[in-house]
């Protein structure tokens, strides 16, 4: 047989392909007969193997092909000659022609089905084979590193299921490899970490990011939490779709344990600084303040937030008591010399508002772990005779006297510290706002003594049920706030709520008379629900009102769907606006009596919102809302005009008593306040001396010189000024002479235990004596017993006010007791003495 350029025809067969197609194909194509002789050889043999196709025809395979190639591929040829197609893949040919090929051996059958020859086709796949080899080696290297990595590794599908895991991950989570391959990473995720995990996984799937890193918790097979650092990188196909992801999972539980231990040590240090009786200030090497404890805040007049970052010379100002010259701060020497330095001489500390306090102090340097000086600490204390009194008042300023719990001011400070710590440590904290249900009914039916006993018992219950590091605070009449410094998300907070409820219901203390006392709790979790202290307090309060509106006796977590102001508050605001327009508000007046004659010489105007003699809302319900929504200024103006009008009527009827009016801070600070006051006096045709304005300590101190100037202008009108709730705001007493104050009102917290608490009695006596030395009169509020009244009278208190002498009454009722002759004291009446 010979080859032509026209076609190739196998023996006894028909034409199959044009010869030029076979000759031009990029493959070795032959036809071998049953005697293993080449009957057709295409031209590619020349270019690939350097063999002349013509010289190969008629020769046997063994005569043409090298022995090694026949050994590896000869069996395939024989298989085809026996009638079965065969394929081969491997290296063939010697010398430079050697290549990795794919061979196909196809039997050629005659009409009777007998083999008459074999078609062979060999394609050079050396390049593909090289790439496949490289890929296999790369995969082997990858999976070798994957399997033996010292951290957990997982190959994950776009749906989150694991295709492959290494031994480290199995050991970390306590599962076998086969068990893990049936789970997704989300199946192993702690419930409180699911939301953020789902969000980041979704961002990978949708192409918003190619990698992310997250600290989270997985749940070990035995149930405990495993803290991990998860790093995920996505691998995409040519279309940009996720093919799979590689997850690197590092166990950071030990690091978290160290962080927790460090946090506890820091908390211990902070609690110690807050608790000691000395003032402490720390600075850095640049002499800039880094911290103040509460005593230092009180003695300097600077809050921690205001002082941090300020130069020490601005916050801590010393003068010599004798020469009045500035003194050099010992802290500068302590840092420079790296030594303990004591203050010498008669040093006086200047308060931010000008008050002076004699002190003693010492300073020392602060070192880091390597022993290098990184700052300094100054410890000082008040050496004046009023030091004990100041410390007692500082405690009272931050604690509730009835229960001994931290008050709202101290809660705010601790909450800010806890949130700052949680932000640094990436942990969670929670705030529980608790309100006793139907507490007013206890007060109304059983009296205030029973109500106070219930509040103390409930405070003890909360303290006994919580950890030492948690804070329990009383922020209102029957409202408590629990601060959980670190909590296991919503799960931990809900478990604690259920525990508090269960223990309370099981105790005999929850049964008062025939009533069972329950409570409603609103919960706000950091950082899910709020990012700062104010928002945490607001959101927990909102959640608590949601519980109240849905039947009480339960708890709810804050959710964004809850309105920014609860429906109840919004309803009060709307009703209050209508009440102002319709004239539904009124003033009641609680008498003040002369401590010696018990004659009624004055009265305090207290706002009431009643319809047909029944309270629509109590003052402590609607006045905070009025301040929040901006109604407090017009509301305060109405109170001012109405009180002046009533005082004018009594004056013209022959009853010239002094009417005291509470002034809210926004009203006092309003630019038109003095003008409004003068207009009210003129309209009422009332001598200004028959009006007394009651201001709070915080209101007076907040604006310093500006407050003093306004108070002096009011004094120039002839109106007197009283400092309300004295003793609960600031622990320094020397500022009283700085402001034009006519009277001090001793807060009811001092009066309550005056007959049984020697400290309270001493403080009250000192306040009265100090007021007299400054030519001020003294009013004691909250007087309920004759023993209290007698002690106050003997101590020199000028005026008395409280249930013993009458509750707040409508003006016509009070007028019955305003006799031109020597006044008759009112009989003590049970009931609410009213909130301003």
């Amino acid at each position: 047989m010979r080859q032509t350029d026209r076609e190739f025809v196998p023996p006894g067969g028909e034409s199959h392909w044009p010869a030029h197609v076979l000759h031009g194909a990029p493959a070795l194509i032959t036809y071998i007969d049953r005697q293993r002789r080449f009957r057709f050889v295409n031209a590619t043999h020349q270019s690939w193997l350097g063999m002349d196709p013509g010289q190969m025809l008629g020769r046997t395979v063994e005569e043409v092909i090298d022995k090694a190639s026949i050994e590896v591929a000869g069996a395939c040829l024989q298989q085809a000659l026996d009638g079965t197609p065969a394929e081969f893949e491997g290296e063939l040919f010697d010398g430079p022609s050697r290549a990795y090929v794919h061979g196909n051996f196809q039997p050629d059958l005659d009409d009777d089905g007998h083999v008459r020859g074999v078609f062979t086709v060999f394609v050079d796949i050396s390049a593909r084979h090289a790439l496949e080899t490289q890929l296999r080696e790369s995969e082997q290297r990858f999976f070798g590193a994957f399997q033996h990595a010292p951290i957990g590794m997982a190959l994950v599908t776009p749906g989150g299921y694991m295709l492959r895991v290494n031994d480290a991950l199995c050991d970390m989570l306590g599962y076998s490899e086969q068990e893990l391959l049936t789970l997704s990473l989300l199946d192993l995720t702690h419930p409180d970490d699911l939301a953020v995990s789902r969000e980041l996984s979704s961002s990978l799937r949708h192409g918003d990011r190619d990698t992310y890193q997250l600290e989270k918790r997985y749940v070990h097979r035995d149930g405990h939490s495993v803290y991990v650092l998860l790093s995920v990188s996505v691998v995409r196909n040519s279309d940009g779709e996720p093919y799979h992801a590689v997850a690197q999972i590092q166990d950071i539980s030990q690091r978290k344990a160290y962080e927790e231990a460090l946090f506890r040590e820091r908390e211990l240090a902070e609690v110690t600084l807050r608790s000691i009786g000395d003032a402490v200030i720390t600075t850095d090497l640049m002499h800039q303040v880094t911290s103040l404890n509460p005593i230092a805040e009180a003695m300097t007049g600077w809050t921690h937030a205001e002082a941090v970052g300020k130069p020490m010379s601005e916050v801590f100002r010393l003068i010599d008591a004798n020469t009045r010259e500035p003194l050099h701060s010992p802290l500068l020497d302590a840092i420079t010399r790296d030594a303990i330095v004591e203050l010498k001489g008669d040093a006086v500390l200047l308060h931010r508002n000008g008050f002076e306090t004699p002190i003693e102090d010492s300073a020392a340097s602060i070192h880091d772990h390597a022993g290098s000086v990184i700052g300094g600490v100054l410890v000082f204390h008040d050496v004046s005779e009023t030091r004990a009194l100041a410390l007692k008042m500082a405690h009272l300023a931050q604690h509730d006297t009835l229960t001994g719990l931290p008050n709202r001011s101290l809660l705010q400070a601790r909450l800010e510290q806890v949130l700052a710590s949680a932000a640094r440590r990436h942990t969670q904290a929670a705030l529980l706002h608790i309100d006793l249900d139907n507490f007013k009914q206890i007060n109304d039916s059983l009296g205030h003594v029973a109500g106070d006993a219930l509040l103390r018992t409930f405070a003890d219950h909360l303290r006994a049920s919580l950890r030492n590091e948690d804070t329990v605070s009383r922020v209102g009449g029957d409202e408590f706030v629990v601060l959980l410094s670190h909590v296991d998300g919503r799960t931990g907070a809900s478990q604690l709520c259920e525990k508090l409820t269960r223990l309370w219901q099981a105790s005999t203390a929850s049964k008062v008379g025939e009533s069972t006392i329950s409570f409603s709790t609103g919960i706000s979790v950091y950082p899910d629900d709020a990012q700062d202290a104010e928002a945490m307090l607001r959101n927990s309060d909102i959640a608590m009102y949601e519980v109240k509106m849905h039947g009480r006796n339960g708890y709810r977590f804050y959710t964004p769907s809850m309105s920014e102001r609860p429906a109840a508050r919004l309803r009060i605001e709307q009703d209050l606006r209508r009440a102002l327009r319709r004239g539904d508000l009124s003033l009641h007046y609680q008498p003040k009596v002369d401590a010696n004659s018990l004659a009624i010489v004055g009265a305090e105007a207290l706002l009431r919102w009643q319809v047909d003699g029944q309270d629509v809302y109590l003052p402590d319900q609607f006045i905070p809302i009025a301040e929040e929504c901006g109604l407090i200024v017009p509301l305060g103006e109405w109170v001012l005009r109405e009180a002046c009008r009533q005082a004018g009527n009594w004056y013209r009827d022959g009853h010239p008593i002094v009417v005291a009016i509470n002034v809210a801070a926004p009203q006092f600070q309003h630019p038109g306040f003095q003008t409004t006051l003068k207009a009210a006096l003129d309209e009422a045709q009332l001598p200004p001396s028959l009006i007394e304005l009651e201001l709070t300590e915080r209101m007076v101190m907040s604006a310093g010189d500006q407050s003093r100037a306004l108070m002096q202008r009011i004094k120039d009108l002839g109106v007197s000024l009283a400092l309300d709730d004295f003793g609960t705001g600031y622990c320094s007493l020397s500022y009283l002479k700085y402001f034009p104050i006519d009277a001090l009102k001793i807060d009811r917290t001092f009066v309550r235990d005056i007959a049984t608490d020697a400290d309270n009695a001493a403080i009250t006596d000192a306040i009265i004596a100090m007021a007299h030395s400054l030519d001020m009169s003294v009013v004691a509020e909250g007087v309920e017993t004759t023993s209290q009244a007698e002690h106050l009278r003997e101590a020199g208190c000028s005026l008395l006010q409280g249930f013993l002498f009458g509750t707040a009454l409508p003006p016509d009722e009070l007028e019955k007791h305003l006799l031109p002759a020597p006044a008759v004291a009112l009989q003590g009446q049970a009931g609410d003495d009213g909130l301003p």
Side-chain angles (χ1 to χ4, degrees):
M1 178 180 178
R2 64 186 184 86
Q3 298 185 111
T4 71
D5 292 332
R6 295 175 62 189
E7 63 180 8
F8 165 63
V9 181
E14 298 179 353
S15 173
H16 286 275
W17 308 287
H20 70 276
V21 173
L22 298 176
H23 288 298
L28 302 180
I29 301 174
T30 68
Y31 183 86
I32 302 171
D33 63 15
R34 288 191 57 78
Q35 286 73 42
R36 303 170 67 94
R37 296 182 182 277
F38 290 100
R39 300 293 299 279
F40 174 81
V41 182
N42 73 343
T44 306
H45 284 71
Q46 180 71 53
S47 59
W48 184 349
L49 302 178
M51 295 182 181
D52 182 357
Q55 294 180 1
M56 293 174 61
L57 294 176
R59 299 173 66 186
T60 66
V61 172
E62 288 74 14
E63 293 174 341
V64 176
I65 304 302
D66 62 273
K67 183 178 180 181
S69 297
I70 291 175
E71 287 178 354
V72 297
C76 294
L77 174 60
Q78 188 58 51
Q79 179 178 321
L81 288 172
D82 292 339
T84 303
E87 289 187 349
F88 170 82
E89 192 165 299
E91 288 188 321
L92 289 180
F93 313 122
D94 288 333
S97 302
R98 190 168 184 81
Y100 198 94
V101 302
H102 178 83
N104 185 280
F105 299 80
Q106 186 66 37
D108 179 32
L109 306 179
D110 60 18
D111 293 339
D112 295 327
H114 298 121
V115 177
R116 59 188 178 191
V118 175
F119 289 101
T120 68
V121 178
F122 290 92
V123 179
D124 186 352
I125 61 169
S126 300
R128 189 192 78 185
H129 175 68
L131 290 175
E132 290 175 346
T133 301
Q134 292 174 5
L135 178 59
R136 280 195 301 273
E137 292 174 350
S138 176
E139 288 177 345
Q140 289 171 355
R141 287 193 298 270
F142 170 80
F143 285 111
F146 179 101
Q147 187 61 38
H148 298 100
I151 64 173
M153 299 286 293
L155 197 62
V156 187
T157 68
Y161 285 87
M162 288 173 276
L163 295 171
R164 185 164 184 168
V165 296
N166 70 346
D167 293 339
L169 184 60
C170 296
D171 295 339
M172 186 189 305
L173 301 179
Y175 290 90
S176 69
E177 180 178 359
Q178 292 306 314
E179 289 172 329
L180 285 179
L181 294 182
T182 64
L183 301 172
S184 71
L185 287 177
L186 290 179
D187 292 334
L188 300 167
T189 297
H190 191 282
D192 292 333
D193 295 337
L194 277 174
V196 65
S197 296
R198 286 197 176 104
E199 180 181 350
L200 291 172
S201 296
S202 177
S203 67
L204 280 185
R205 288 196 303 272
H206 293 93
D208 297 330
R209 63 174 71 214
D210 289 322
T211 184
Y212 70 82
Q213 191 173 81
L214 171 69
E215 286 191 8
K216 61 181 292 186
R217 287 161 294 176
Y218 285 129
V219 179
H220 192 275
R221 184 172 184 171
D222 65 11
H224 76 268
S225 295
V226 179
Y227 283 87
V228 302
L229 175 61
L230 172 66
S231 300
V232 180
S233 300
V234 70
V235 178
R236 302 185 184 279
N237 60 23
S238 58
D239 296 327
E241 295 297 320
Y243 181 62
H244 61 246
V246 178
Q248 301 178 60
I249 305 160
Q250 182 178 357
D251 188 345
I252 59 171
S253 299
Q254 189 176 47
R255 193 196 81 192
K256 286 292 184 180
Y258 291 152
E259 289 177 352
E260 181 66 21
L262 181 61
F263 169 76
R264 291 179 182 276
E265 290 181 4
R266 180 171 295 182
E267 282 293 293
L268 177 61
E270 290 179 355
V271 168
T272 302
L273 285 178
R274 291 196 300 266
S275 304
I276 64 174
D278 286 346
V280 180
I281 302 178
T282 63
T283 71
D284 59 18
L285 282 174
M286 303 304 295
H287 307 140
Q288 293 180 327
V289 174
T290 55
S291 71
L292 289 84
N293 73 344
I295 300 297
E297 288 181 325
M299 293 184 67
T300 63
W302 290 80
T303 66
H304 174 86
E306 292 171 333
V308 170
K310 291 284 193 302
M312 183 65 169
S313 58
E314 184 177 349
V315 175
F316 187 74
R317 296 181 296 154
L318 291 176
I319 62 172
D320 186 278
N322 301 316
T323 65
R324 311 297 295 176
E325 292 293 325
L327 287 178
H328 180 70
S329 172
L331 186 62
L332 305 182
D333 292 337
I335 293 176
T336 302
R337 292 160 45 192
D338 189 14
I340 298 176
V341 178
E342 293 187 354
L343 182 65
K344 297 180 180 179
D346 297 326
V348 172
L349 173 65
L350 295 181
H351 189 277
R352 187 178 186 181
N353 290 318
F355 322 133
E356 298 180 2
T357 305
I359 66 166
E360 292 178 350
D361 77 356
S362 63
S365 54
I366 300 175
H367 304 86
D368 62 12
H369 66 280
S372 303
V373 176
I374 58 172
V377 58
L378 182 73
V379 181
F380 56 98
H381 58 272
D382 181 356
V383 295
S384 67
E385 295 179 355
T386 60
R387 170 167 157 65
L389 175 62
L391 291 175
K392 177 71 174 178
M393 293 180 66
H395 178 82
L396 291 174
Q398 293 187 318
H399 291 80
D400 171 47
T401 57
L402 177 64
T403 63
L405 295 177
N407 61 14
R408 183 180 291 274
S409 173
L410 184 54
L411 170 68
Q412 180 83 18
R414 291 188 180 177
L415 178 56
E416 290 172 355
Q417 292 171 351
V418 166
L419 295 188
S421 176
R424 292 192 304 269
R425 300 172 60 245
H426 303 292
T427 57
Q428 294 175 296
L431 208 62
L432 280 60
H433 196 122
I434 301 174
D435 184 270
L436 292 174
D437 298 329
N438 301 314
F439 177 74
K440 187 176 184 297
Q441 295 179 8
I442 300 297
N443 267 348
D444 292 345
S445 61
L446 302 179
H448 287 272
V449 173
D452 289 350
L454 174 60
L455 292 173
R456 282 191 290 264
T457 301
F458 188 70
D460 292 341
H461 162 69
L462 293 178
R463 270 189 295 232
S465 304
L466 296 168
R467 302 167 301 190
N468 292 335
E469 60 262 35
D470 298 327
T471 296
V472 184
S473 170
R474 182 183 177 214
V475 296
D478 60 348
E479 294 185 42
F480 297 82
V481 171
V482 174
L483 170 60
L484 305 178
S485 56
H486 51 88
V487 66
D488 196 9
R490 295 196 169 202
T491 301
S494 62
Q495 289 173 347
L496 177 62
C497 278
E498 291 165 3
K499 173 186 174 183
L500 292 175
T501 302
R502 184 175 63 255
L503 294 177
W504 174 249
Q505 291 174 345
S507 70
T508 57
S510 64
K511 312 298 188 296
V512 179
E514 297 181 357
S515 302
T516 298
I517 304 301
S518 61
F519 56 90
S520 302
T521 307
I523 307 173
S524 177
V525 178
Y526 172 88
D528 299 342
D529 300 331
Q531 298 294 316
D532 55 61
E534 182 179 350
M536 287 285 287
L537 288 164
R538 181 178 64 250
N539 291 347
S540 63
D541 188 39
I542 289 173
M544 185 270 290
Y545 272 95
E546 285 285 316
V547 180
K548 291 285 190 185
M549 288 190 293
H550 289 82
R552 300 182 172 87
N553 191 22
Y555 67 89
R556 287 199 175 197
F557 288 93
Y558 171 80
T559 62
S561 61
M562 296 177 182
S563 59
E564 286 300 317
R565 280 184 291 184
R569 293 193 172 197
L570 182 59
R571 184 169 63 251
I572 292 175
E573 178 187 340
Q574 293 169 343
D575 291 348
L576 183 57
R577 293 183 187 276
R578 285 193 292 269
L580 270 173
R581 292 196 301 268
R582 295 193 304 224
D584 289 343
L585 302 174
S586 62
L587 293 180
H588 287 192
Y589 297 85
Q590 185 175 30
K592 297 180 181 179
V593 303
D594 182 275
N596 294 307
S597 68
L598 300 185
I600 299 175
V601 295
E604 180 179 0
L606 299 171
L607 184 60
R608 294 292 184 265
W609 183 357
Q610 297 180 335
V611 174
D612 298 330
Q614 298 297 317
D615 288 324
V616 178
Y617 296 105
L618 296 175
D620 61 350
Q621 290 177 307
F622 67 83
I623 288 180
I625 294 174
E627 292 180 345
E628 179 183 323
C629 69
L631 283 176
I632 195 63
V633 172
L635 185 62
E637 290 180 359
W638 180 86
V639 170
L640 196 63
R641 293 178 185 276
E642 176 61 18
C644 288
R645 184 195 66 76
Q646 183 60 59
N649 290 344
W650 283 332
Y651 169 70
R652 285 182 288 276
D653 291 341
H655 308 302
I657 66 170
V658 177
V659 174
I661 305 170
N662 290 282
V663 180
Q667 180 186 7
F668 183 68
Q669 295 162 359
H670 192 271
F673 176 71
Q674 182 184 351
T675 302
T676 301
L677 173 61
K678 188 175 186 307
L681 292 169
D682 293 342
E683 291 172 6
Q685 299 180 358
L686 176 69
S689 61
L690 295 182
I691 290 295
E692 180 180 74
L693 300 183
E694 293 190 0
L695 312 175
T696 66
E697 292 181 73
R698 191 168 296 277
M699 183 193 312
V700 169
M701 294 294 294
S702 62
D705 291 340
Q706 185 177 354
S707 293
R708 184 178 185 278
L710 175 58
M711 292 168 68
Q712 188 59 55
R713 292 196 297 272
I714 293 172
K715 283 272 292 183
D716 293 342
L717 290 177
V719 174
S720 58
L721 299 171
L723 202 59
D724 197 10
D725 298 335
F726 180 74
T728 63
Y730 289 81
C731 59
S732 179
L733 307 175
S734 57
Y735 70 87
L736 287 175
K737 62 185 179 182
Y738 182 72
F739 295 102
I741 298 168
D742 300 289
L744 298 183
K745 286 195 75 174
I746 301 176
D747 187 71
R748 68 184 67 246
T749 56
F750 293 100
V751 173
R752 178 186 313 163
D753 302 320
I754 196 171
T756 57
D757 188 326
D759 286 342
N760 269 4
I763 291 173
T764 304
D765 294 350
I767 291 174
I768 294 172
M770 178 190 60
H772 287 167
S773 70
L774 296 174
D775 198 24
M776 297 178 186
S777 61
V778 181
V779 183
E781 60 178 346
V783 181
E784 300 181 0
T785 67
T786 54
S787 60
Q788 292 171 346
E790 182 63 21
H791 181 102
L792 291 164
R793 185 189 66 76
E794 292 178 355
C797 185
S798 315
L799 302 175
L800 306 177
Q801 178 183 350
F803 289 165
L804 184 62
F805 310 107
T807 60
L809 298 172
D812 54 343
E813 291 292 322
L814 181 64
E815 189 171 357
K816 296 176 183 179
H817 304 279
L818 302 179
L819 302 179
V824 178
L826 294 177
Q827 296 300 313
Q829 303 176 42
D832 183 12
D833 68 336
L835 295 174

